[in-house]
Amino acid sequence: MHRLASSVALTAALLVISGCSTGGTPSDAPAGSTPSPRSSPTGTPAEEAAEDATEESSQEAGEAPAREQEPVAPADFEPATAVRVVRHLAGVIGPREATGRAYARAADWVQGELEGLGYDVARQGFDVPAGESWGVPVPAGRSVNVVATPVGFDPSRPHLVVGAHLDTVPRAPGAEDNASGVGVLLAVAEAVAQRRTRLPVVLVAFGAEEPRGPGDDEHHYGSRRYAAEMGPRERTAMRAMVSLDRVGVGATVPVGSATASDPVQRALLAAARSAGVRAVAVAEQRSSDHWSFVRAGLPAARLGSTSYAAYHSAADVPAVVRPDQLARVGRVVLAWLAPR
């Protein structure tokens, strides 16, 4: 299997403390923090049975497990891949404002990595207005989502979406916010490229997540565009979306819901339990790309958001990110994607 990861050994005790969007986020939890609640993957036996029935009927209608490989498992996640991505994006490229040249370099690089794993990759361009991003004026321009799909993917058939924003605020190298999310995204892409998942998986690096002013309408431009361009059949076929945003610090995995509780959040908490990862539910969490999908009436949740001192600053460098936390999040995602 092609591997993104280099032979770089995982090193170092890296700094802990972290954050992307603020509000409703737990601090770095001690070893004795409350584990994730026990629940069925979709929250209730009826919901779980309905989901399983949907998957079975899809397969009977000709929607195979897309590949005849071994099923993916949490242990298939390679933390070294995620670490390499963080080091390249935040250490080599640096700040990636959504309309700038550095962002374009980052999008090219991510596209190349995904194509190297055998995915079909498309770009979804969109306009972004001028504004102010975390105290720094930013120009109007174009940004892009990088969208990877398995070969032969049919968006009108049941599928899942995993995304992470690729841009940063202008003054931050963005190791935790959000090279960590993109690192986990690419390591997940690597794991599922040659293994079977319960449904086909679309992988998206979103542009222009960071704010250009106050409020929802000046935030999350790339994911809003993606959700707006989904046709009726694709909307019905998308079973759930997960946003990976600030997933590289802490000792537990925050699982955020835009509402008090929802089936996607419960499914992720159950996946964390099955993977042996400590997770904590966060309600009313709307500060990432999953919110664009929820606003559009689509099921979505978020992984990540532990507070950290280097948030949106020049100090958000690769040393902030913890490989062990990247591994926890990656195992949760793969447990969620794994066939039952």
Side-chain angles (χ1 to χ4, degrees):
M1 166 184 175
H2 174 81
R3 286 287 186 198
L4 281 168
S6 67
S7 59
V8 177
L10 294 177
T11 60
L14 303 177
L15 300 177
V16 275
I17 333 181
S18 55
C20 166
S21 318
T22 58
T25 59
S27 60
D28 188 2
S33 60
T34 304
S36 61
R38 294 185 176 272
S39 62
S40 72
T42 53
T44 70
E47 288 171 327
E48 181 178 357
E51 183 176 346
D52 289 343
T54 298
E55 293 171 13
E56 289 171 7
S57 65
S58 298
Q59 292 175 10
E60 288 171 3
E63 179 186 333
R67 303 168 290 277
E68 294 300 326
Q69 292 91 352
E70 291 294 315
V72 75
D76 294 322
F77 186 82
E78 292 283 356
T81 296
V83 169
R84 184 176 71 85
V85 173
V86 170
R87 289 175 176 169
H88 184 83
L89 291 176
V92 176
I93 296 179
R96 302 174 296 284
E97 190 280 314
T99 62
R101 291 182 179 178
Y103 182 84
R105 287 176 57 204
D108 287 345
W109 186 80
V110 168
Q111 178 172 349
E113 295 292 297
L114 290 165
E115 288 175 340
L117 289 168
Y119 291 93
D120 289 334
V121 182
R123 291 184 175 227
Q124 186 178 52
F126 52 92
D127 293 324
V128 183
E132 184 176 292
S133 185
W134 216 250
V136 178
V138 287
R142 295 280 289 175
S143 193
V144 66
N145 297 328
V146 180
V147 183
T149 56
V151 173
F153 173 72
D154 181 352
S156 70
R157 306 307 297 271
H159 63 275
L160 304 167
V161 176
V162 180
H165 76 86
L166 182 57
D167 64 309
T168 69
V169 296
R171 64 187 180 188
E176 165 67 350
D177 188 12
N178 186 40
S180 66
V182 179
V184 171
L185 181 77
L186 290 182
V188 166
E190 176 184 76
V192 305
Q194 298 296 329
R195 296 180 177 87
R196 180 162 48 87
T197 52
R198 61 186 172 93
L199 289 173
V201 183
V202 179
L203 302 145
V204 188
F206 290 111
E209 186 272 348
E210 294 291 0
R212 304 174 92 78
D216 287 338
D217 291 336
E218 297 186 76
H219 209 189
H220 310 134
Y221 293 91
S223 53
R224 283 196 283 134
R225 174 53 61 91
Y226 185 97
E229 292 194 358
M230 295 173 70
R233 295 183 67 186
E234 185 176 0
R235 286 172 57 87
T236 300
M238 196 206 81
R239 294 292 185 255
M241 181 270 181
V242 171
S243 176
L244 306 172
D245 194 350
R246 296 196 292 106
V247 296
V249 302
T252 62
V253 176
V255 183
S257 167
T259 57
S261 178
D262 66 47
V264 184
Q265 183 190 52
R266 292 194 295 270
L268 289 167
L269 290 167
R273 186 177 70 248
S274 72
V277 173
R278 295 178 69 86
V280 58
V282 183
E284 305 296 330
Q285 170 57 266
R286 299 177 179 179
S287 52
S288 187
D289 286 311
H290 69 297
W291 177 228
S292 297
F293 290 80
V294 175
R295 290 177 73 191
L298 298 165
R302 173 186 181 174
L303 294 178
S305 74
T306 302
S307 299
Y308 72 120
Y311 175 63
H312 279 188
S313 79
D316 187 10
V317 296
V320 168
V321 174
R322 291 175 50 163
D324 57 348
Q325 182 70 346
L326 296 174
R328 292 183 193 101
V329 175
R331 291 200 303 269
V332 171
V333 176
L334 293 186
W336 181 68
L337 296 175
R340 298 213 176 103

